[in-house]
Amino acid sequence: MPSVVTLIRSASLSDAAEYAYAATAPANARLIFLAGSCPLSADGSTAGVGDYAAQAASCIENMTIALREAGATITDVISTRVLVASTRQADLVAAWEVVRDAFGDHDVPSTLMGVTVLGYDDQLVEIEAVAAVVD
């Protein structure tokens, strides 16, 4: 089923951002609020210790599974928030590039931010998402 999410771009805003500036879903959409996707393996250990890109990829994998369980796919995501435990812009960019590539042409509105610490041992990345589907 095609996505009901409409991505909105504006010629009045910079095209340097690698995402749409806004997104909408129809009034009859069911919203899915995902918990922050963490880089946890099935056994509960932290994947990709010390590697921002590997942890972002693990987060995307786990988010995709959670979306599937909720009856959605990555193209149903309407927005994301990417949290990176670092004060270095290069670390944020390393995580962001993985997220950007995973979403491809479905470049939803996103917020990328550095934070001081995340909840699990050795965790460097977490990705929050909201999706919209029509059943």
Side-chain angles (χ1 to χ4, degrees), residues 110-129:
S110 297
T111 299
L112 172 64
M113 66 174 96
V115 298
T116 57
V117 67
L118 291 167
Y120 293 98
D121 290 342
D122 302 311
Q123 182 182 2
L124 300 173
V125 179
E126 186 163 333
I127 303 171
E128 297 177 11

Side-chain angles (χ1 to χ4, degrees), residues 5-131:
V5 173
T6 301
L7 301 178
I8 300 167
R9 301 172 197 318
S10 172
S12 300
L13 297 170
S14 170
D15 64 359
E18 298 175 323
Y19 47 80
Y21 279 97
T24 63
N28 61 335
R30 174 172 58 95
L31 295 179
I32 302 165
F33 297 89
L34 282 79
S37 177
C38 300
L40 297 179
S41 301
D43 67 2
S45 64
T46 302
V49 173
D51 186 331
Y52 290 92
Q55 287 202 7
S58 179
C59 290
I60 292 291
E61 279 182 48
N62 290 337
M63 181 183 70
T64 301
I65 293 168
L67 285 164
R68 184 173 56 241
E69 295 292 327
T73 68
I74 202 164
T75 59
D76 296 313
V77 171
I78 196 166
S79 68
T80 66
R81 180 176 302 135
V82 181
L83 309 172
V84 182
S86 179
T87 59
R88 295 183 56 238
Q89 187 178 30
D91 297 335
L92 277 69
V93 170
W96 171 250
E97 287 174 344
V98 172
V99 174
R100 178 200 62 208
D101 292 349
F103 278 86
D105 291 337
H106 187 69
D107 55 345
V108 299
S110 297
T111 299
L112 172 64
M113 66 174 96
V115 298
T116 57
V117 67
L118 291 167
Y120 293 98
D121 290 342
D122 302 311
Q123 182 182 2
L124 300 173
V125 179
E126 186 163 333
I127 303 171
E128 297 177 11
V130 176

